[in-house]
Amino acid sequence: MTAEEFRRAGHDLIDWIAQYLEECEKYPVLSRVAPGEVRRSVEAPLPQHGEAWSAMWRDFDRHIMPGITHWQSPNFYAYFPANSSYPAILGELLSAGLGVNGMLWSCSPAMTELEMFVLDWLVDLLALPAHFKGAGVIQDTASSASLCALLAAREQALEWRGNAIGLASAGARLTLYTSDQAHSSIEKAAMIAGLGRENLRLVKSDDAGAIIPAHLAQLMNADRAAGCTPCFVSATMGTTSSLAMDPLRPIGEIAAAERVWLHVDGAMAGTALACPEFRDIADGLELADSFCVNPHKWMLTNFDLDAFYVREPQRLVRTLSILPEYLRAAQSDEVINYRDWHIPLGRRFRALKLWFVIRSYGVEGIRAHIRSHAHLASQFARWVQADSRFELAAPPRLNLVCFRLRAGDEASEALLRRLNESGAIHLTHTRLQGRYALRLCIGSPRTRESHVSAAWSLIQRIADVVLGR
Ligand code: PLP
């Protein structure tokens, strides 16, 4: 591809993206392809010679688009949002255009320094504890951030011997704690960090899905009595199933008394801290050793970008640092080399898109985005409560409503299946206290009251069918 061809294709592509985002509600939200269909449709011999962009673009349109589920549609209510925005897309494009790798400060000083600066802005935007200033790093995902937190907690508990002599030789049987509602990434981190799933204790949650602190203390005491060493607690600010909020203060007090690392996973709900009226969920966050939030979920910043903060970054650096000769740089003592703050060596210029988003929307624009979703979710929850065939499955929180048909799990499952088959909206489900629940999570910047009320009318109509009326 020549520079001239790139220019032309690039202009067309930007036009296409703008039109796609304006019109994406015209597509069935959930892709309708069968397993293997896309693979079969792109099957072709390995090209021996280069092809024209026009041929690739034609195939994208023909074969790839049908296999896309439209996450940016205003009718996408599944999982958690991965909302995007024009400034973030431009930031991604610019990052690709520069093609830089910021493993060391000297590899592109602007990459490191902008990242430090933007993460400090995020501390102000979310009113995070002041000790997180100068202590943030961008990770790809919350899963990676939680894993890094656990690795640092592990090394701290082993007095930094685990990395040196291996876990078997380091001796201690370490235990870790999270709620029975925590995201699966914590269990995965326990596996990867070599601590073992069997040493992960699931603390009971209450009816609202939040950790019961007394049970946490009980589990830790029992473990100490059995000769284990508690090393890590992960509390969740907004659980995946129902956005339940773990009480951070009592959990933090227990962790501090036990000298155990407290990590707070605010992957989804952390963004709500931009609004002063939602900041009660952060009570006790100053007790945390680490915290992560995903602007790539609810802060208009294209996937991927997780902001990870550590109270004392030297504990993280001591855990992850390794210095081969070919990475020695003259300024190592004066600057941050982010390669020591996460697992991969290389890193993309992700800070650009967050910088553009914060400047483009401003604090008030980001707040308006969150408030509008929270408002629409509470409106939807009122409609659910007003229809005697339905019930709320958990207290509605922020932008999420969990609900079900009173007729039971089978009816609720049938309702979800038919809703998704309709192509008009896309929802997903969970189980709360053993019972099936549909989740409606409002996340697209394009979702208006008209979309949510159309979704509710459709849900009511399909409920008529499911319930045989
Ligand atoms: N933590 C919580 C509370 C989540 O809800 C999720 C995803 O939904 C994750 C972690 C995982 O996020 P990521 O895909 O960034 O690893």
Side-chain angles (χ1 to χ4, degrees), residues 79-80 140-144 146 182-186 236-241 265-269 292 294 296-297 303 306:
Y79 311 103
F80 276 146
D140 52 4
T141 59
S143 302
S144 298
S146 299
H183 188 261
S184 57
S185 52
I186 305 301
T236 313
M237 179 187 284
T239 59
T240 312
S241 279
D265 173 1
M268 167 66 201
C292 71
N294 281 355
H296 74 220
K297 279 190 162 55
F303 193 85
D306 167 272

